Amino acid sequence: MDKITLITRAAAEAERLAAVVGGTVAFDPSDYRKLRELATELQRQDDANLSLYGRKVYEVYRHVEKYAELRKSYPANSRPIRKVREAMERTMATLERVGERIVADVYRRAGE
């Protein structure tokens, strides 16, 4: 599979996690089996950027998993939940930057 297809699939799967944080969907780990498999596949790539992207996708999954667990015992604006949400937002920003770098690299190589 080419790089752009991999990151597009990963981004689409990660968007489903946003619904959990938004509160519209309950978190069920079995729903995200494809996301975990895709993150593992990305981590095994030879390209450093793809491997980093895979690690960050899995990190976002872990943040959402922790967020869902904390929501059972803490109110929405408590410090532990805010910290997890902020960490997830930083990871999502990193994902976006790495994705842009991968796409730019693909187009740069295509132009050579």
Side-chain angles (χ1 to χ4, degrees):
M1 221 179 284
D2 66 333
K3 295 177 182 182
I4 293 180
T5 305
L6 283 172
I7 63 170
T8 303
R9 283 182 44 210
E13 289 289 325
E15 285 297 316
R16 292 180 47 217
L17 290 173
V20 173
V21 176
T24 57
V25 177
F27 181 76
D28 184 14
S30 63
D31 291 342
Y32 300 100
R33 184 176 59 84
K34 285 185 1 184
L35 176 72
R36 291 190 308 268
E37 290 172 356
L38 187 59
T40 303
E41 182 181 341
L42 283 166
Q43 289 177 23
R44 292 181 181 153
Q45 297 294 318
D46 291 335
D47 186 356
N49 286 332
L50 281 177
S51 181
L52 175 64
Y53 197 87
R55 286 193 307 272
K56 293 300 177 181
V57 166
Y58 195 73
E59 191 176 324
V60 167
Y61 171 79
R62 286 292 184 202
H63 285 311
V64 172
E65 187 177 46
K66 187 172 183 179
Y67 175 84
E69 189 64 35
L70 288 173
R71 281 293 292 142
K72 294 177 183 174
S73 57
Y74 289 101
N77 290 325
S78 65
R79 187 169 188 268
I81 290 180
R82 283 195 320 264
K83 289 186 73 72
V84 169
R85 187 180 293 158
E86 289 168 1
M88 185 180 57
E89 289 171 358
R90 284 191 305 270
T91 305
M92 289 294 284
T94 303
L95 262 179
E96 187 176 331
R97 287 192 307 271
V98 172
E100 290 172 357
R101 192 178 335 155
I102 291 169
V103 170
D105 187 45
V106 166
Y107 286 122
R108 183 183 56 80
R109 288 187 182 175
E112 290 179 350

